[in-house]
Amino acid sequence: MTQERASQQSKNASAERRDAQRWCALRTGPLPVGEVSAFLAAPEAGGLSLFVGTTRQWTGERETVRLWYEAYEPMALAELGHLADEAAERWPVARCCLLHRLGEVPVAESSVVVGVATPHRAEAFAACRWLIDTLKERVPIWKRETFADGSEAWVRPHG
């Protein structure tokens, strides 16, 4: 294998931790929303809540053409795991999934997927909302927005 090819494979590799109840990952390519839905299905869960965040075309009056995400991957993956554990302490979470995309994310593609399976819908909604809001506050992932006029801006995370 050439050094260039090995380097390219390394760039496309994802950081991931997965077991029967938790799936946390950072990926450089499209996020597998269908796989997440299948992963969350559990016999003890009557409520599944799934949030998919996508790149929107307009930010105020400015046209966005793409987002770029960067992370300190070991710390970001560890923090995703901590969030999954915290959610399981707060709610009866049967399964939890936290996936975030890194690199370029074009308009209309997903950049983050958060999913929770619990016995009842209210718990699933609450846990999912808490997870996406807390992920944006605590996980060391940074976003750069590129606009149609060629300008760029780093975006501060917020809920």
Side-chain angles (χ1 to χ4, degrees):
M1 177 179 306
T2 67
Q3 186 175 15
E4 180 181 336
R5 186 170 174 202
S7 175
Q8 184 62 32
Q9 284 184 344
S10 175
K11 287 178 186 176
N12 292 332
S14 64
E16 185 168 307
R17 291 187 184 153
R18 184 172 178 173
D19 61 30
Q21 288 80 35
R22 310 277 185 275
W23 181 10
C24 298
L26 301 167
R27 295 199 168 193
T28 55
L31 298 177
V33 177
E35 281 183 51
V36 170
S37 183
F39 173 80
L40 293 173
E44 67 273 24
L48 304 180
S49 184
L50 183 65
F51 172 81
V52 180
T54 62
T55 301
R56 65 181 168 269
Q57 186 173 8
W58 296 94
T59 301
E61 295 183 12
R62 299 179 81 184
E63 184 178 6
T64 300
V65 292
R66 78 182 139 277
L67 298 179
W68 181 271
Y69 289 93
E70 293 182 13
Y72 177 57
E73 292 183 38
M75 186 180 289
L77 186 61
E79 190 59 31
L80 291 175
H82 293 313
L83 292 180
D85 292 343
E86 280 187 54
E89 290 172 9
R90 292 171 175 241
W91 295 277
V93 173
R95 297 200 181 155
C96 179
C97 186
L98 298 161
L99 305 183
H100 206 294
R101 190 158 166 185
L102 299 178
E104 183 177 338
V105 183
V107 169
E109 289 192 20
S110 59
S111 55
V112 62
V113 176
V114 174
V116 181
T118 63
H120 304 283
R121 69 179 175 273
E123 299 154 335
F125 286 141
C128 191
R129 176 68 185 253
W130 180 85
L131 280 164
I132 186 58
D133 289 347
T134 309
L135 181 155
K136 290 174 113 349
E137 293 171 4
R138 291 189 0 204
V139 179
I141 297 173
W142 303 278
K143 176 172 69 172
R144 185 178 70 221
E145 192 165 1
T146 302
F147 301 100
D149 65 6
S151 65
E152 297 181 335
W154 285 97
V155 180
R156 285 194 55 146
H158 52 53

